[in-house]
Amino acid sequence: MRFISTDIKINFIVAYVIGTLGILSSLFGVLHISFTAIIPILVMFIFLLINIKFRSKHFVANEQLGDSFYYLGFLFTLTSLMTGLISFWGAVDEVGMKLLGQFGVAISTTIIGLAGRIILSQFRRPTEELTQAAETQLAQNVREFKIQLDLVTSK
């Protein structure tokens, strides 16, 4: 049995990578900066729609989906800030460069820490899901045991 926790985690990582590529595209001059906001916003809503569509088939709490949507937006905010700071690299004086460098490090570590927290805690399987999985597995084992018991007693 496959649970949404795995699917939502993969969807989250894919959405973050695609949105980050959209944000970084302005840094490398691929897209004009006015278009870079569109990509992460579209990615966020596509992430939400995909997970809402498949939520009925799997176990996912509204809180988990809402938190994931919020965290995705927050990560995009930090990534955008970091990208903006990187674009100033070499364009300011030495004092400003040190300040931007320290701020860039702070944002980078915040992004890594937040992403780690999301992956490690946000996408863990809730107790209801674990209980349901255990009950399902137990029922399957009882059915298999009964079939084997019937075969042995019928001989």
Side-chain angles (χ1 to χ4, degrees):
M1 176 181 266
R2 191 163 181 206
F3 294 96
I4 193 72
S5 295
T6 303
D7 297 336
I8 196 170
K9 186 186 297 186
I10 292 168
N11 293 346
F12 185 89
I13 292 168
V14 168
Y16 180 66
V17 168
I18 292 171
T20 298
L21 290 174
I23 291 169
L24 292 175
S25 66
S26 69
L27 183 65
F28 300 117
V30 176
L31 286 176
H32 190 271
I33 196 156
S34 60
F35 292 112
T36 58
I38 295 171
I39 295 171
I41 291 170
L42 278 175
V43 167
M44 286 177 66
F45 282 105
I46 291 170
F47 167 81
L48 187 65
L49 291 174
I50 286 172
N51 286 295
I52 286 173
K53 180 178 179 180
F54 294 109
R55 180 173 52 179
S56 62
K57 296 178 185 177
H58 303 283
F59 303 105
V60 65
N62 287 337
E63 294 81 18
Q64 184 183 26
L65 187 56
D67 286 348
S68 300
F69 185 72
Y70 166 75
Y71 285 140
L72 189 61
F74 189 60
L75 280 172
F76 286 151
T77 300
L78 293 174
T79 304
S80 183
L81 284 171
M82 187 176 68
T83 304
L85 290 173
I86 290 171
S87 68
F88 282 117
W89 203 260
V92 294
D93 62 355
E94 190 174 322
V95 174
M97 186 71 102
K98 286 182 182 179
L99 178 65
L100 287 176
Q102 291 299 319
F103 195 63
V105 169
I107 289 180
S108 300
T109 57
T110 302
I111 290 171
I112 292 168
L114 181 62
R117 184 206 182 278
I118 292 167
I119 291 170
L120 293 173
S121 67
Q122 177 64 23
F123 297 122
R124 69 175 176 230
R125 291 167 56 177
T127 54
E128 298 86 27
E129 184 178 324
L130 292 171
T131 303
Q132 179 66 35
E135 289 172 357
T136 302
Q137 185 64 41
L138 181 61
Q140 179 66 29
N141 290 344
V142 167
R143 281 192 293 277
E144 289 173 5
F145 180 70
K146 182 175 179 341
I147 290 171
Q148 291 176 0
L149 191 59
D150 288 344
L151 286 174
V152 169
T153 56
S154 67
K155 290 184 179 182

